[in-house]
Amino acid sequence: GGGVTRYVNNTNGGPVFVHVKDGRILRITPIQFDESDGASWTIHARGRSFTPPRRGTINPYVFGLRSLIYSKDRLLYPMKRVDFNPDGERNPQNRGKSGYERITWDEALDIVAGEIRRVKKEHGPGAILNSSGSHHTWGNIGYWLSAKTRFMNSIGSSHVVHNPDSWEGWFWGAMHHWGNSVRNGASDTYGTIEDCLKEAEMIVFWSSDPESTSGVYGAFEGTVRRQWAKSLGIKMVHIDPYYNHTAALLGGKWIAPRPDTGNAMALGIAYVWITENLYDREYVAERTTGFEKWQAYILGETDGIPKTPEWQEAETNVPGRVVRSLARQWGSCKTYLSPGGLAGFGGACRCATGIEWARSMVCLMAMQGLGKPGVNVGCLQQGAPVDTHFYFPGYAEGGFSGDLDNTGLRLNMYQRMPQLPSMNPVSQIIPRLRIPEAILGESVEGYPTDPKSIEGQFRKFGYPAPGHSPIHLYYKYGGSHFGTMGDSNRYARAYRSDRLEFVVNQSIWFEGEAKFADILLPACTNFERWDIGETANSGGYSHHQFIQWNHRVITMQHKCIEPLGESRSDYQIFLDLAERLGLGNLFSEAMTELDWCRRLFDGSDLPGRVSWKQFLKKGYYVVPAPAEANRAPVSWRWFAEGRTKDVPELAPLPADYTSQWRKGLQTQSGKLEFESSSLKRFAPDDPERPPLPTYIPSWEGHHTKELYAKYPLNLISPHPRYSFHTMFDGKDSIINDVRDHRLLIDGYYYWIVRMNREDAQRRGIEHNSLVRMFNDRGEVVLAAQLTDRLPPGTVHSAEGSAIYEPLGEPGASPDRGGCINVLTPSRNIITRSHSTPSNTCLVQVEPWRPGGEA
Amino acid sequence: MKKYAFIIDIGKCENCHNCFLSCKDEHCGNNWPGYSTSQPLHGHRWLNIRQKERGVFPLIDIAYLPQPCMHCDDAPCVAAGNGAVQKREDGIVLIDPAKARGRKELLAACPYGAIWWNEEEQVPQKCTLCAHLLDDGWSVPRCVQACPTGALSIFHGDESELRQRVVDEELAILPEAAKLKGQPQCYYKNLYRYSHSFIAGSLAEKVGEIEDCVIGATVRLKKNAEVVAEQESDDFGDFKFDNLPENSGDYQIEIVRDGMVVRELSIDVVQSCSVSTIIL
Ligand SMILES: Nc1nc2c(c(=O)[nH]1)N[C@H]1C(S)=C(S)[C@@H](COP(=O)(O)OP(=O)(O)OC[C@H]3O[C@@H](n4cnc5c(=O)[nH]c(N)nc54)[C@H](O)[C@@H]3O)O[C@H]1N2
Ligand SMILES: Nc1nc2c(c(=O)[nH]1)N[C@H]1C(S)=C(S)[C@@H](COP(=O)(O)OP(=O)(O)OC[C@H]3O[C@@H](n4cnc5c(=O)[nH]c(N)nc54)[C@H](O)[C@@H]3O)O[C@H]1N2
Ligand code: SF4
Ligand code: SF4
Ligand code: SF4
Ligand SMILES: [Ca+2]
Ligand SMILES: [Ca+2]
Ligand SMILES: [Mo+4]
């Protein structure tokens, strides 16, 4: 009414209603279901019945969207760096310094298409590098894995291999003990909400803050479930150097280890279980291998060091008695372990000791009978009893990419939504964490994120690839890397190299790396174009990710308003370029974005439930909860009971099984392996990753004495609660006003570092004052918040700043934008990997004296 | 006439800021004629989230107190407004943007800091309880709709019903309100988490070479030689006596094992305090 139209759209923080009046967005609200929407489920546990509210929740940053869409930092016109002339002086050394001037779309597209042609001709295959962030505005068609991939394949470009940054320790470590390669080494979590509410007596949150991270894309769907658990008296323990928001909301015991001490505490727990007979002997005997070796190591028979709770105290600073109490409770009651906010994540997996930590998490579960009633992984964040049989694709299934190699297209959609294949003729691939070095012409190597098998990760690759050109053109999509990749001043230095002849950046906002481009192509948000997508359905490595949601919500993502300024949808930009390169119809198949949405709709199970017209009009469909009898079985139960696998996932593929399809795990023994057979086959003598999980102190921690004396503070950089990495930060949005996100000091919104009061007082640092945090890699200016939520010696500053604002020479001066990753290492966790140790970072903090940048 | 009031449960607030941000989504850049002028993009906190950390590492907790305009009865802002500020029959207090133009002094009229100055429009502004939405048929304002935990809620009913809930659910108004003008119609549940203090500690003992947590010991809290509370140390040997008034002076803690008092200590409660580990 009142001239207001209510559209529907979707975000990585939940689906939304979009109220539009006179072509302008008025408000964005969470979806409230009506009576005609699909039924909800009910779980009966301990004499009570639990049904989720009939609505969708959304993350805080989603409320910032209107201010982000209309942000003054939007790129509204194509731009050219003022001192860039494709036919004359290019001045690459001024990238990041010079200003921009407005040009027409025709000029911009001609320059970009011309450069693509020129570089390919002059240098040969591989000279074009394209890369993007991992996340995106929501939808299946416009997603980078869809439109961008189809275009980049079509022109032939060096592909960037993403390290498994969300999973690191799970991918490089845990996978070798329980398989699950298709989930990057994480666990499936079917049926665990019902099982946990019915059976569990305790939940151990270990490096797990779902109230901040929402698993991933889970909004606050898990919150009500954890409130139910609390009301049932399920005990909670939080192992995290930071008194995180989940601990603050739910209470329970907070145990604060020194960061990056990985599995020391886990070994101390296993010691108590072994010496006090608090583990599941029968399960260990029947379902696992290699326990004797692990036991011998724990007891100190192999290295003379019993891994007692007192031993771990020197590593973690957590009193031995606390660990002993924890172990005794855990060993004597049915316990859920939540390693990470989503089972298989956690800041603890992203550090020098992260691989050993994740491996030990598997070993602990193996000792307690993983899969038995009440003994499983998770924290009620995943595993809602929604319909897993109703098919709708996730974004990683590739949309209309036509790509069978680097998306999940071939799993379902290639048959369901036939499309022209697209194939990248360039086989040169580049490890993401080595982009700067690759640009600078260095030889680099990496190990692939290959989910097909456990051994996929062992195939080392190198750059430059034989017969290929090094990189000379960088097509950058988005601009997050200063805020998200290690030692990120490297990127500024690489951008300014004359080896890079041309840089084009296609972004929605003028931020981060966009400021280092020669040509800027303005993209619009998903509120200004058509798309279609299901909330929290990513597909790919996170099969059935939507089981984090209490209801499956599939949305028609309406084009709510016209693209602002001269911005265009990414699809349109790629199509415009493709046309100039003679690839127009190959790219679009002569279809519009809305046509593609219709085609994807037709390829899904939706037409059996709702007509296209109805769906288009209402804007969403809630998949009804299945009858109780049709709910997915509990993960690992089949394994614990020695049956064939019965959860609704194919993986691993039939060929991966040692005995018989669906029998046993993906490991060589088919069992949970304390000592990994795959690591024994690959590199049995690797001191960085021995076949048996052992305690290996951090290579940048309290044992690295000289460095530690100079930089005595451990910095952890978890994910930002009020932004999704860089995507909702900065840009003059209302998120800036959240005092726990950025702090306004002298007219500037500074990123925040949290530190213990004592640490601060010793340094003369006051609450809400400016500080410089630094190490040998760089320096960042921040606002300090003093707290007792951290132990002395640990500081906390989230990753994900969208703003990179060096006070002097880019790449060589303090950043006041808040890119914490200026300080984090760029090296791999272990040599034989391609991994990021984000939470391994020694720093010093001092009061900031203005003018100190000189 | 049914009236509106906020009911906010401190025990459920997790500082997610959905309320604060949804308020901005509704009001920044949006004029609601007859109700309010648009809120500036930055600076205002119509729903201000205060926070309080209690205790000392590692025995701490934290409480968040979301504070909107509390739509007071006998509101001092109404009195000071000379017609520019009105209390509607349903309890909602509204500042008329036209009549209040230029009247920066109204900020000082609110003892709770709930009024904000819009420099550009030269008007004082505050939470409208989203009256433009409620009048349009919405059952709750934006912030309440956005709250994921159930911490924020809106009451709409008879005065007597509200009084009953205040008693039944032990709702309280801001402590400072007792001394200040106005009767806030914003009621807090579990307010002690913000306003009161705790004494917490951990019990341990030597068992041979090692130290263990002491589980299940009786811990007594005494005030003026009288037992005011008693509990057992938990699975980690921890105890915590909460809901003690700030600056409430001397307390004694007694640790009892096997019927014997094995340790006594006295504590002067100013703010929440965590005593260092007690080795029995
Ligand atoms: N210190 C530290 N660093 C970390 C981590 C950590 O824990 N600590 N975590 C790591 C993890 S797990 C991850 S996943 C990474 C994430 O790191 P990134 O993936 O690099 O971060 P995002 O901010 O998600 O990047 C998305 C980019 O895409 C752009 N974009 C989004 N939608 C669109 C669109 O529709 N069109 C166009 N053209 N552009 C778009 C955004 O503006 C943004 O620039 O960070 C990692 N970095
Ligand atoms: N709001 C928001 N939500 C997000 C994201 C976001 O950027 N913003 N990103 C999404 C993505 S891509 C991912 S991968 C997930 C990440 O989800 P997680 O990996 O679970 O999240 P993190 O914040 O990295 O880490 C969780 C907790 O680990 C703690 N921690 C750090 N180091 C250590 C350690 O050494 N030991 C222990 N015990 N704890 C430690 C941190 O204090 C933090 O509270 O979140 C997703 N959800
Ligand atoms: S809180 Fe302040 S502005 Fe609101 S009604 Fe009371 S006195 Fe007036
Ligand atoms: S009731 Fe409306 S105006 Fe008041 S704080 Fe909530 S959202 Fe803001
Ligand atoms: S939305 Fe609810 S839980 Fe979140 S900060 Fe506001 S009151 Fe607290
Ligand atoms: Ca157990
Ligand atoms: Ca009063
Ligand atoms: Mo991630």
Side-chain angles (χ1 to χ4, degrees):
Chain A
V4 180
T5 311
R6 198 189 72 186
Y7 293 103
V8 172
N9 214 303
N10 217 327
T11 76
N12 59 28
V16 288
F17 286 144
V18 186
H19 305 239
V20 176
K21 190 177 179 181
D22 302 329
R24 198 180 142 266
I25 297 175
L26 269 190
R27 67 170 69 87
I28 296 179
T29 64
I31 291 190
Q32 319 273 315
F33 305 141
D34 62 41
E35 265 151 42
S36 68
D37 291 329
S40 309
W41 44 263
T42 297
I43 286 174
H44 305 281
R46 307 180 213 212
R48 286 173 57 191
S49 298
F50 300 104
T51 309
R54 299 274 299 158
R55 61 167 186 174
T57 50
I58 54 183
N59 280 108
Y61 47 78
V62 178
F63 291 107
L65 267 170
R66 194 167 61 89
S67 67
L68 287 163
I69 293 166
Y70 295 108
S71 157
K72 68 177 175 55
D73 293 341
R74 271 291 292 269
L75 283 169
L76 296 176
Y77 311 100
M79 309 257 235
K80 187 183 80 64
R81 183 159 55 79
V82 288
D83 50 359
F84 170 77
N85 177 358
D87 304 317
E89 281 303 316
R90 292 183 179 231
N91 293 309
Q93 75 286 356
N94 288 342
R95 291 191 186 118
K97 282 183 170 172
S98 306
Y100 289 84
E101 62 197 17
R102 184 174 166 181
I103 56 174
T104 66
W105 266 110
D106 276 338
E107 288 170 312
L109 295 166
D110 284 344
I111 293 174
V112 176
E115 284 295 298
I116 288 173
R117 256 192 304 255
R118 180 188 67 78
V119 164
K120 287 192 67 123
K121 263 201 172 144
E122 280 181 17
H123 302 290
I128 300 172
L129 167 71
N130 92 82
S131 93
S132 65
S134 301
H135 312 98
H136 201 262
T137 56
W138 205 254
N140 280 294
I141 300 302
Y143 218 87
W144 65 270
L145 280 153
S146 174
K148 193 211 75 168
T149 297
R150 190 178 186 90
F151 178 79
M152 293 302 167
N153 281 355
S154 308
I155 63 169
S157 60
S158 287
H159 173 75
V160 170
V161 179
H162 285 199
N163 54 307
D165 50 6
S166 311
W167 298 266
E168 299 298 7
W170 301 90
F171 183 83
W172 307 106
M175 189 198 295
H176 297 294
H177 300 271
W178 65 3
N180 295 337
S181 69
V182 79
R183 290 182 183 271
N184 276 342
S187 177
D188 51 293
T189 54
Y190 298 101
T192 49
I193 290 173
E194 184 157 1
D195 179 55
C196 182
L197 289 174
K198 280 183 165 158
E199 303 282 347
E201 294 159 289
M202 179 159 87
I203 302 175
V204 175
F205 294 80
W206 199 324
S207 189
S208 173
D209 185 10
E211 293 304 328
S212 292
T213 54
S214 307
V216 63
Y217 314 137
F220 290 98
E221 297 291 296
T223 305
V224 69
R225 305 186 296 241
R226 284 183 285 274
Q227 289 176 326
W228 295 339
K230 189 180 171 184
S231 74
L232 287 173
I234 297 175
K235 289 190 283 187
M236 311 211 181
V237 174
H238 310 270
I239 306 175
D240 192 317
Y242 182 54
Y243 185 73
N244 67 37
H245 299 277
T246 308
L249 176 66
L250 299 171
K253 178 68 177 175
W254 174 39
I255 298 176
R258 186 205 312 264
D260 196 12
T261 50
N263 57 351
M265 193 187 296
L267 299 177
I269 291 168
Y271 181 89
V272 177
W273 289 349
I274 292 169
T275 53
E276 302 188 11
N277 196 15
L278 289 170
Y279 67 100
D280 193 328
R281 284 173 177 265
E282 197 185 310
Y283 186 96
V284 165
E286 284 174 15
R287 311 267 171 249
T288 76
T289 64
F291 181 70
E292 294 70 25
K293 272 207 172 167
W294 161 261
Q295 172 166 302
Y297 171 71
I298 303 270
L299 296 178
E301 288 162 14
T302 29
D303 62 357
I305 305 168
K307 311 302 175 301
T308 63
E310 282 63 39
W311 164 81
Q312 68 81 47
E313 181 167 342
E315 300 304 317
T316 66
N317 283 337
V318 175
R321 69 185 147 83
V322 171
V323 171
R324 191 171 301 101
S325 268
L326 171 63
R328 285 175 181 160
Q329 287 173 68
W330 188 341
S332 48
C333 74
K334 291 184 281 184
T335 302
Y336 261 64
L337 170 64
S338 176
L342 195 80
F345 282 0
C349 85
R350 255 169 256 120
C351 59
T353 57
I355 292 175
E356 297 308 305
W357 172 74
R359 301 173 74 188
S360 71
M361 292 299 107
V362 176
C363 294
L364 291 187
M365 289 313 293
M367 287 181 75
Q368 290 299 329
L370 174 61
K372 289 189 163 183
V375 182
N376 221 309
V377 287
C379 57
L380 298 163
Q381 184 58 34
Q382 298 157 281
V386 294
D387 189 346
T388 48
H389 296 290
F390 183 91
Y391 179 75
F392 189 86
Y395 65 66
E397 288 173 74
F400 79 107
S401 65
D403 181 293
L404 298 179
D405 296 326
N406 294 304
T407 75
L409 185 67
R410 60 186 154 192
L411 287 180
N412 287 290
M413 287 308 277
Y414 192 58
Q415 296 95 312
R416 285 173 169 260
M417 185 174 93
Q419 52 187 283
L420 286 178
S422 75
M423 218 171 320
N424 190 355
V426 174
S427 59
Q428 173 162 277
I429 53 177
I430 291 157
R432 172 170 61 180
L433 299 171
R434 302 289 158 261
I435 287 175
E437 290 78 10
I439 289 174
L440 293 172
E442 293 171 28
S443 298
V444 300
E445 52 185 51
Y447 288 80
T449 306
D450 179 353
K452 282 206 294 289
S453 66
I454 294 176
E455 292 74 21
Q457 62 173 264
F458 296 153
R459 272 182 301 113
K460 186 157 91 175
F461 64 92
Y463 160 93
H468 285 71
S469 163
I471 296 152
H472 292 292
L473 185 161
Y474 193 9
Y475 198 126
K476 179 74 186 134
Y477 186 94
S480 54
H481 287 170
F482 289 115
T484 59
M485 297 295 130
D487 192 2
S488 52
N489 272 329
R490 292 180 302 145
Y491 292 80
R493 299 194 288 267
Y495 269 118
R496 303 173 73 221
S497 154
D498 58 8
R499 299 184 65 97
L500 261 192
E501 296 166 9
F502 182 62
V503 178
V504 51
N505 186 298
Q506 178 168 324
S507 277
I508 302 171
W509 297 279
F510 191 50
E511 61 179 356
E513 291 166 276
K515 300 188 171 177
F516 287 75
D518 301 329
I519 296 289
L520 286 162
L521 303 178
C524 67
T525 69
N526 57 322
F527 293 80
E528 300 151 76
R529 57 175 178 79
W530 291 101
D531 215 322
I532 182 170
E534 175 176 4
T535 302
N537 189 346
S538 47
Y541 310 130
S542 305
H543 190 52
H544 290 159
Q545 184 85 281
F546 56 75
I547 65 175
Q548 290 179 90
W549 269 68
N550 288 322
H551 302 85
R552 288 188 66 180
V553 190
I554 301 171
T555 56
M556 183 65 219
Q557 299 183 218
H558 294 133
K559 177 176 176 178
C560 306
I561 55 169
E562 286 302 314
L564 296 190
E566 287 185 4
S567 67
R568 293 180 180 176
S569 70
D570 292 298
Y571 180 96
Q572 190 61 46
I573 296 172
F574 288 128
L575 178 57
D576 293 341
L577 283 171
E579 276 169 352
R580 277 173 166 69
L581 295 165
L583 294 163
N585 280 349
L586 271 180
F587 177 80
S588 68
E589 300 187 24
M591 307 242 292
T592 65
E593 286 159 270
L594 186 57
D595 293 336
W596 279 112
C597 293
R598 172 73 196 264
R599 207 152 141 188
L600 187 132
F601 171 91
D602 286 336
S604 76
D605 283 351
L606 280 174
R609 303 280 178 91
V610 53
S611 74
W612 168 247
K613 246 179 128 172
Q614 286 168 317
F615 183 64
L616 198 59
K617 182 151 191 291
K618 181 156 197 183
Y620 68 98
Y621 175 73
V622 178
V623 183
E628 261 192 73
N630 294 336
R631 288 178 184 172
V634 183
S635 286
W636 300 103
R637 185 68 44 83
W638 59 276
F639 178 73
E641 295 178 354
R643 294 182 281 109
T644 48
K645 187 169 182 175
D646 58 3
V647 292
E649 63 168 17
L650 255 180
L653 295 170
D656 279 346
Y657 284 78
T658 32
S659 94
Q660 183 187 325
W661 188 41
R662 294 167 62 215
K663 253 198 138 177
L665 306 182
Q666 201 182 359
T667 52
Q668 188 179 342
S669 61
K671 297 187 175 184
L672 284 166
E673 296 185 349
F674 285 92
E675 188 189 30
S676 161
S677 53
S678 40
L679 293 179
K680 265 162 98 174
R681 265 180 278 121
F682 175 55
D685 301 321
D686 186 348
E688 293 185 315
R689 186 177 51 176
L692 194 73
T694 51
Y695 183 64
I696 304 168
S698 172
W699 38 255
E700 181 172 326
H702 63 290
H703 287 284
T704 49
K705 294 272 184 261
E706 244 170 76
L707 200 68
Y708 190 56
K710 207 164 148 198
Y711 301 117
L713 299 169
N714 279 89
L715 167 68
I716 52 170
S717 46
H719 293 210
R721 192 182 197 208
Y722 304 101
S723 170
F724 198 94
H725 299 290
T726 68
M727 271 175 66
F728 299 79
D729 174 51
K731 316 178 211 2
D732 198 33
S733 94
I734 57 172
I735 305 294
N736 276 348
D737 285 58
V738 175
R739 277 179 299 221
D740 288 303
H741 182 70
R742 282 183 182 269
L743 207 61
L744 184 65
I745 299 179
D746 298 336
Y748 191 84
Y749 289 96
Y750 287 91
W751 199 252
I752 289 164
V753 58
R754 298 169 179 83
M755 59 193 303
N756 179 280
R757 279 171 217 287
E758 282 176 30
D759 284 335
Q761 273 151 17
R762 218 171 297 130
R763 290 167 172 79
I765 293 166
E766 282 168 35
H767 191 53
N768 292 347
S769 70
L770 292 182
V771 295
R772 59 188 285 257
M773 182 152 80
F774 60 99
N775 59 20
D776 291 341
R777 288 178 285 264
E779 175 168 344
V780 188
V781 185
L782 301 153
Q785 285 189 354
L786 314 195
T787 182
D788 273 59
R789 300 177 78 157
L790 290 161
T794 298
V795 289
H796 172 297
S797 183
E799 58 95 33
S801 167
I803 306 169
Y804 175 66
E805 203 179 290
L807 291 171
E809 194 71 10
S813 57
D815 166 41
R816 78 158 177 172
C819 291
I820 273 317
N821 274 312
V822 157
L823 306 173
T824 58
S826 62
R827 64 158 280 187
N828 292 318
I829 295 175
I830 60 171
T831 309
R832 291 180 173 97
S833 72
H834 170 219
S835 54
T836 183
S838 313
N839 290 307
T840 293
C841 187
L842 292 179
V843 296
Q844 182 56 289
V845 183
E846 286 176 358
W848 165 252
R849 297 186 216 303
E853 64 270 27
Chain B
M1 182 80 190
K2 284 182 169 183
K3 70 178 275 188
Y4 287 104
F6 275 108
I7 298 182
I8 303 179
D9 187 347
I10 306 285
K12 285 185 178 165
C13 179
E14 59 164 323
N15 197 36
C16 71
H17 274 76
N18 270 16
C19 49
F20 172 81
L21 292 164
S22 63
C23 179
K24 288 193 172 288
D25 182 59
E26 185 65 27
H27 293 281
C28 294
N30 286 335
N31 289 314
W32 302 115
Y35 299 93
S36 53
T37 323
S38 71
Q39 185 185 133
L41 190 58
H42 298 296
H44 285 203
R45 298 178 186 279
W46 292 10
L47 209 165
N48 190 20
I49 305 176
R50 293 153 62 172
Q51 57 177 273
K52 180 141 179 193
E53 247 181 71
R54 303 191 303 171
V56 178
F57 174 84
L59 294 173
I60 66 159
D61 67 12
I62 185 148
Y64 303 99
L65 183 142
Q67 190 205 320
C69 158
M70 300 179 291
H71 300 273
C72 306
D73 290 348
D74 297 324
C77 61
V78 175
N82 295 326
V85 189
Q86 271 199 22
K87 173 104 177 160
R88 305 198 324 185
E89 273 191 21
D90 60 5
I92 298 177
V93 175
L94 287 181
I95 301 178
D96 183 323
K99 291 185 187 156
R101 177 168 293 273
R103 300 194 46 194
K104 199 169 181 178
E105 81 279 4
L106 284 179
L107 267 67
C110 172
Y112 308 104
I115 306 183
W116 302 82
W117 183 245
N118 183 330
E119 188 63 41
E120 200 168 318
E121 302 290 332
Q122 290 289 305
V123 285
Q125 297 184 295
K126 65 169 194 68
C127 159
T128 62
L129 226 149
C130 288
H132 67 294
L133 295 177
L134 299 177
D135 290 352
D136 195 34
W138 285 53
S139 58
V140 295
R142 282 297 302 275
C143 52
V144 171
Q145 183 194 55
C147 179
T149 63
L152 270 192
S153 64
I154 200 84
F155 170 86
H156 190 212
D158 294 329
E159 180 78 38
S160 57
E161 200 188 321
L162 180 61
R163 294 296 132 227
Q164 196 56 49
R165 278 194 65 181
V166 167
V167 175
D168 292 350
E169 298 172 32
E170 298 179 45
L171 305 179
I173 55 172
L174 281 185
E176 61 256 39
K179 283 175 262 143
L180 301 170
K181 281 195 249 166
Q183 271 301 97
Q185 296 306 299
C186 175
Y187 293 89
Y188 292 99
K189 201 172 176 170
N190 294 313
L191 184 64
Y192 73 93
R193 289 273 315 267
Y194 184 86
S195 61
H196 282 52
S197 303
F198 67 66
I199 300 172
S202 304
L203 306 183
E205 68 183 337
K206 280 260 177 220
V207 181
E209 287 295 287
I210 56 172
E211 232 172 56
D212 251 341
C213 300
V214 175
I215 298 164
T218 300
V219 188
R220 282 191 198 130
L221 180 71
K222 286 172 138 181
K223 177 100 188 150
N224 303 326
E226 261 180 59
V227 178
V228 289
E230 187 174 298
Q231 57 181 245
E232 285 193 352
S233 58
D234 71 10
D235 294 332
F236 291 94
D238 297 344
F239 64 87
K240 178 176 179 178
F241 294 102
D242 206 340
N243 207 353
L244 312 174
E246 282 182 359
N247 298 310
S248 54
D250 283 332
Y251 289 84
Q252 294 78 46
I253 299 270
E254 270 180 17
I255 321 276
V256 185
R257 293 187 89 182
D258 308 322
M260 303 249 296
V261 175
V262 292
R263 186 68 56 86
E264 276 178 300
L265 50 149
S266 69
I267 291 160
D268 178 16
V269 170
V270 180
Q271 291 262 314
S272 290
C273 49
S274 320
V275 297
S276 51
T277 305
I278 302 164
I279 317 248
L280 300 179

